[in-house]
Amino acid sequence: MVGALAVVKPLPEVRVTELPQEDIKWCTVSLSDVLDTGKRLEASVFEVEGRHAREAVENCTWGTVPLGEPGNGLLEKAYYPGRFKRIYCSAECGVPFYLPSQMTDIRPKPDKYISALTKCDISDLKLKRGDLLLTRSGTIGNSTIVSQTLEDVVFSDDVIRVTPKNPIDLGYLYAFFRSETGYKILQTNQYGSVIRHIEPEHLYSICVPNPPEAIKKKINDLIMQSYRLRDESNELLDTATKMLVETLNLPPIKEFQIEQFGDGYETNNYSVKLSETNKRLDGSYHVPIAKAITEHLRRNAKELLTVGDKRVSKDIILPGRFKRVYVEEGQGRVFFGGKQLFELDPSNKKYLSLAHHGDRIKEQLELHENMTLITCSGTIGKVTLVPRQWERWAANQHIIRVVPASDEIAGYLSVFLSSEYGYPLITRFTYGSVVDEINATHVSQIPFPILADKPIQDKINQLALKANSLRYEAYKLEQEALRSMNDEVIFA
């Protein structure tokens, strides 16, 4: 019999490498976390920053309190209306309907209208003042407060409505979820996995810092004052737009008389003189509404100029396309796009490298107070006035900058172009088979009315600039609240 001989070899020495915490994002993951995520081993499943955010809150000086189930925690209610199949219709026949992407706009305008035939209770969709709103799908975690501007507005069921039990928790919770720490917690679950959809139940287990009432009240007061200033700025702009409409005797946009080529056709039809084609053969350029508005302005304005006239604008800038080099926050220039154009503090900001793009930023991308911005690619015709907090920030090449001739016309220019009468005059220039585009030359050709009543025009201009100033004050108050949340609460 031959015996088996086993030889045991010593295991090689295992070296433990210390992870460079400042150079890469890292975290430890337990086996139970891996099993909870469906045995996924990709690093992207475990959001490092989300885990660190939860640790920061757990270790804060003031201790924590869970939001808890309604009635047993900080929340009185957390819900969203039941899902339903939407039936869209024209503006004349339906109710203005807002989408989650518009929730953070300072002054949202409806893009869609739902019919009364939609099988849902429209009243359940209306927002109630004093609620906190959170987007629950797609881009989750965006938040806003229902103030005067959004009260009774009909919003999508993709928005969670949260009613705090204590009124001072409204601004406090908003500031927490607007902070980088709270935003990350809202986007991840307890083991750091990124989630793409949240339900009200997900909120109940979230723990928030529990500082003294005096600190909560301070933060709440700053946030609520910020929203009051936003509402006031919207009222000023509504007043300015109303004055513009009345002075130019503009009828409702749908009441313009449009002449058609013939009445026996199922589609819209119209004729265009060869001399008026302007070398454009696309039907959208010759839409009768643009011609009707232009003729009305010519009859009722003192003078009909164009946006490119030197009495209206110094320059119209469309940046060239370029490959972007991004850097970390604090190392470059703030950079955002057209989707964030209506926000007080643009979300998802990025930072452009000054070393790679310094000259381009200075010559083309940089924003300055009281410029008028117009989106020119994809979604055409979104217009806003640059507030002071965006001074020297940068916006992408899908936004045209109109540099006003002076501050004496800057606000009036923005009010006209952002009105429902300015929109058709902008979008008529649209070209492109896949992605819609307009360029700086097109913007320079947009008709622009000078009012016969100079004091009224000056008043409209002043109202717009005052509204812009109020938005800057609102921004400062919110930033002060966020600094207090970070310095006095989360990282105290």
Side-chain angles (χ1 to χ4, degrees), residues 439-460:
N439 59 41
T441 300
H442 297 147
V443 171
S444 71
Q445 297 171 3
I446 296 172
F448 181 74
I450 298 298
L451 300 185
D453 193 330
K454 182 71 163 55
I456 290 293
Q457 181 172 309
D458 291 342
K459 181 63 175 177
I460 293 172

Side-chain angles (χ1 to χ4, degrees), residues 93-231:
C93 303
V95 176
F97 186 73
Y98 296 78
L99 301 175
S101 58
Q102 300 174 278
M103 194 184 78
T104 53
D105 291 352
I106 304 177
R107 190 177 176 226
K109 298 179 180 179
D111 290 328
K112 297 180 181 294
Y113 298 82
I114 59 170
S115 168
L117 299 176
T118 303
K119 294 182 179 180
C120 71
D121 187 346
I122 300 294
S123 62
D124 287 344
L125 300 175
K126 292 183 178 179
L127 301 181
K128 298 175 178 59
R129 188 185 293 204
D131 277 359
L132 172 68
L133 305 183
L134 301 169
T135 50
R136 67 180 183 86
S137 60
T139 302
I140 68 168
N142 287 340
S143 58
T144 194
I145 287 174
V146 181
S147 59
Q148 177 181 315
T149 297
L150 291 182
E151 186 176 18
D152 289 332
V153 164
V154 175
F155 244 91
S156 161
D157 58 287
D158 291 316
V159 173
I160 294 177
R161 285 82 160 158
V162 176
T163 306
K165 191 181 299 182
N166 188 337
I168 70 169
D169 285 335
L170 176 60
Y172 176 75
L173 290 178
Y174 169 81
F176 176 72
F177 288 127
R178 277 281 293 160
S179 70
E180 186 175 351
T181 300
Y183 184 67
K184 284 295 181 183
I185 289 176
L186 203 55
Q187 290 186 311
T188 59
N189 57 24
Q190 67 273 13
Y191 48 83
S193 178
V194 178
I195 53 181
R196 299 299 178 192
H197 185 90
I198 60 172
E199 297 288 335
E201 303 84 65
H202 293 148
L203 303 176
Y204 303 158
S205 62
I206 292 178
C207 291
V208 299
N210 190 29
E213 290 287 298
I215 295 179
K216 287 186 179 181
K217 185 177 185 304
K218 171 187 173 183
I219 293 173
N220 177 75
D221 289 348
L222 289 169
I223 294 298
M224 298 314 295
Q225 178 61 15
S226 173
Y227 270 86
R228 281 191 288 271
L229 291 178
R230 300 178 211 198
D231 291 337

Side-chain angles (χ1 to χ4, degrees), residues 52-64 489-492:
H52 289 174
R54 290 177 184 274
E55 291 173 1
V57 171
E58 290 170 1
N59 297 327
C60 81
T61 299
W62 308 112
T64 62
V489 180
I490 298 175
F491 302 108

Side-chain angles (χ1 to χ4, degrees), residues 444-487:
S444 71
Q445 297 171 3
I446 296 172
F448 181 74
I450 298 298
L451 300 185
D453 193 330
K454 182 71 163 55
I456 290 293
Q457 181 172 309
D458 291 342
K459 181 63 175 177
I460 293 172
N461 185 70
Q462 292 164 10
L463 288 172
L465 297 185
K466 176 64 175 176
N468 218 27
S469 176
L470 290 178
R471 291 180 177 184
Y472 174 59
E473 296 300 323
Y475 171 82
K476 290 197 299 182
L477 288 170
E478 180 168 298
Q479 293 304 304
E480 185 179 346
L482 294 178
R483 282 193 294 271
S484 181
M485 174 61 68
N486 282 326
D487 298 343

Side-chain angles (χ1 to χ4, degrees), residues 170-346:
L170 176 60
Y172 176 75
L173 290 178
Y174 169 81
F176 176 72
F177 288 127
R178 277 281 293 160
S179 70
E180 186 175 351
T181 300
Y183 184 67
K184 284 295 181 183
I185 289 176
L186 203 55
Q187 290 186 311
T188 59
N189 57 24
Q190 67 273 13
Y191 48 83
S193 178
V194 178
I195 53 181
R196 299 299 178 192
H197 185 90
I198 60 172
E199 297 288 335
E201 303 84 65
H202 293 148
L203 303 176
Y204 303 158
S205 62
I206 292 178
C207 291
V208 299
N210 190 29
E213 290 287 298
I215 295 179
K216 287 186 179 181
K217 185 177 185 304
K218 171 187 173 183
I219 293 173
N220 177 75
D221 289 348
L222 289 169
I223 294 298
M224 298 314 295
Q225 178 61 15
S226 173
Y227 270 86
R228 281 191 288 271
L229 291 178
R230 300 178 211 198
D231 291 337
E232 187 178 344
S233 75
N234 291 338
E235 290 177 348
L236 293 178
L237 289 176
D238 289 340
T239 301
T241 302
K242 183 179 179 181
M243 292 175 64
L244 173 74
V245 170
E246 291 176 349
T247 306
L248 288 172
N249 299 311
L250 286 162
I253 194 82
K254 297 299 181 181
E255 293 183 11
F256 273 98
Q257 297 298 318
I258 305 299
E259 294 184 5
Q260 297 207 94
F261 179 75
D263 297 330
Y265 302 95
E266 295 182 357
T267 60
N268 291 330
N269 57 88
Y270 43 90
S271 61
V272 179
K273 294 179 181 179
L274 181 62
S275 59
E276 298 175 347
T277 57
N278 198 23
K279 299 181 181 180
R280 294 283 295 260
L281 299 180
D282 42 331
S284 60
Y285 177 79
H286 302 286
V287 288
I289 185 64
K291 182 178 179 180
I293 293 173
T294 301
E295 290 303 319
H296 183 93
L297 295 177
R298 184 172 284 112
R299 291 192 304 268
N300 289 271
K302 175 184 178 181
E303 188 177 4
L304 190 62
L305 307 178
T306 60
V307 172
D309 191 291
K310 292 304 179 184
R311 290 169 287 178
V312 179
S313 64
K314 292 179 182 177
D315 198 5
I316 300 174
I317 304 168
L318 174 58
R321 300 179 185 275
F322 63 101
K323 186 176 181 180
R324 305 162 188 172
V325 178
Y326 296 122
V327 293
E328 294 296 319
E329 181 178 358
Q331 298 176 0
R333 193 67 62 84
V334 176
F335 183 74
F336 64 93
K339 288 183 178 180
Q340 294 82 39
L341 206 61
F342 291 155
E343 299 180 21
L344 184 72
D345 182 17

